[in-house]
Amino acid sequence: MAKKEKKEPAKPSTAWQGTYGDMITLMLCFFVMLYDPSEVDLMALNQVQQSIAVTTESIDAPVTSGGQSLANGKLADLGNSISALPSLENGRSLAIAKKKAVSLFVPEVNSAKVTISSDERGLIISLASDVFFEQGSAVLNIDETRDILLKLSKFFQDSEIKNRRFRIEGHTDSTPVPAVIDDTGRNIGYPSNWELSTARAANVLHYLSDFGVDEQSFSIAGYADTRPMFSNETKEGQAYNRRVDIIVLDEGHF
């Protein structure tokens, strides 16, 4: 009798892969629909990023910057506490403040009169200097900016942040301050951009105080042209560098 040839086993079906792929895609779509980017805790996220920050000088020799801890280390009881980041609760309150600021200043942000951002110092509300002041002057253009200043005073009196500390920083571009000569030939203008930037910060504070803000919660500083956002080689860059920053300070920068 002739031997029967053995049949090779049938290859397993891969039809299930199509159904599995469809299921994964539907789950992805479901979670994307649930995700609300407006609920991201930006300040807390920034803290986490800084706590695990790593800089690399070369591929073969990575060097860590050390990062920062979100809590005191084990040696805190021995008096060796490191400089810790603010608590997550503090970060969360700044994130809420940022959302409120973005919502409050939508028209001004869209017209580039106000810019809202954040960094390690806290929440930053930048005022376009060209809108608030004439070039080389610290006199506020109150007719054009009264509504913005009223909004700012309302924001700083909000229950979420009214007990925090704030700093107003004046900045200029690198253009020397023009001389203002009186009838006697004396220069009655600002000697340099240092005095101009500080005077602008002080005048913003005075108007906010007139509108109900507590001056005791604020400090002022003038940085002249030492902290530019962009290059002073172009007119556009100079326009961005002429600004006044109002900062809702993080607890580590009081």
Side-chain angles (χ1 to χ4, degrees):
M1 292 180 63
K3 292 183 179 180
K4 293 183 178 180
E5 294 182 358
K6 293 182 179 180
K7 293 183 178 180
E8 294 184 3
K11 293 182 178 180
S13 173
T14 59
W16 63 272
Q17 294 180 354
T19 303
Y20 179 76
D22 291 341
M23 181 186 70
I24 295 299
T25 302
L26 289 172
M27 290 182 64
L28 175 62
C29 294
F30 174 73
F31 286 111
V32 167
M33 292 173 63
L34 290 179
Y35 176 69
D36 182 0
S38 65
E39 294 182 359
V40 175
D41 193 335
L42 298 176
M43 297 301 296
L45 179 61
N46 186 45
Q47 292 170 3
V48 172
Q49 289 174 337
Q50 292 181 23
S51 70
I52 60 175
V54 175
T55 58
T56 303
E57 293 183 352
S58 68
I59 296 177
D60 297 328
V63 178
T64 62
S65 63
Q68 290 178 295
S69 173
L70 293 176
N72 286 337
K74 293 182 179 180
L75 296 179
D77 294 338
L78 300 177
N80 294 324
S81 301
I82 63 172
S83 178
L85 286 172
S87 66
L88 292 179
E89 181 179 353
N90 176 52
R92 189 175 298 111
S93 68
L94 280 180
I96 293 173
K98 183 172 183 178
K99 292 178 185 178
K100 290 186 176 181
V102 170
S103 175
L104 185 63
F105 293 103
V106 169
E108 290 78 14
V109 170
N110 291 338
S111 60
K113 295 179 180 178
V114 172
T115 304
I116 298 172
S117 59
S118 60
D119 63 15
E120 71 281 357
R121 294 172 295 169
L123 173 63
I124 306 169
I125 302 175
S126 297
L127 312 178
S129 181
D130 288 352
V131 177
F132 286 78
F133 304 96
E134 297 292 336
Q135 190 167 13
S137 171
V139 178
L140 266 166
N141 187 353
I142 192 63
D143 292 335
E144 293 291 330
T145 61
R146 181 185 300 274
D147 290 342
I148 299 177
L149 293 171
L150 285 170
K151 283 186 179 182
L152 283 169
S153 64
K154 177 182 177 182
F155 174 75
F156 290 124
Q157 295 176 73
D158 188 276
S159 59
E160 291 283 346
I161 62 170
K162 68 178 182 180
N163 294 324
R164 303 188 71 91
R165 299 289 302 177
F166 314 99
R167 184 168 67 232
I168 303 178
E169 299 179 351
H171 302 269
T172 70
D173 60 30
S174 58
T175 305
V177 180
V180 180
I181 308 301
D182 65 7
D183 295 337
T184 64
R186 289 189 307 126
N187 180 13
I188 59 175
Y190 294 99
S192 70
N193 280 320
W194 290 103
E195 289 81 5
L196 174 61
S197 60
T198 305
R200 286 178 169 177
N203 285 344
V204 169
L205 176 57
H206 291 328
Y207 271 99
L208 290 177
S209 177
D210 290 342
F211 294 145
V213 167
D214 180 14
E215 278 188 342
Q216 301 302 315
S217 299
F218 285 78
S219 59
I220 64 170
Y223 291 100
D225 61 336
T226 62
R227 298 189 180 183
M229 294 178 64
F230 299 95
S231 171
N232 278 305
E233 299 298 321
T234 66
K235 294 294 184 181
E236 293 79 7
Q238 290 179 354
Y240 280 108
N241 293 336
R242 294 191 297 266
R243 69 194 190 280
V244 173
D245 293 339
I246 307 179
I247 305 172
V248 182
L249 290 170
D250 180 275
E251 287 182 359
H253 290 80
F254 283 0

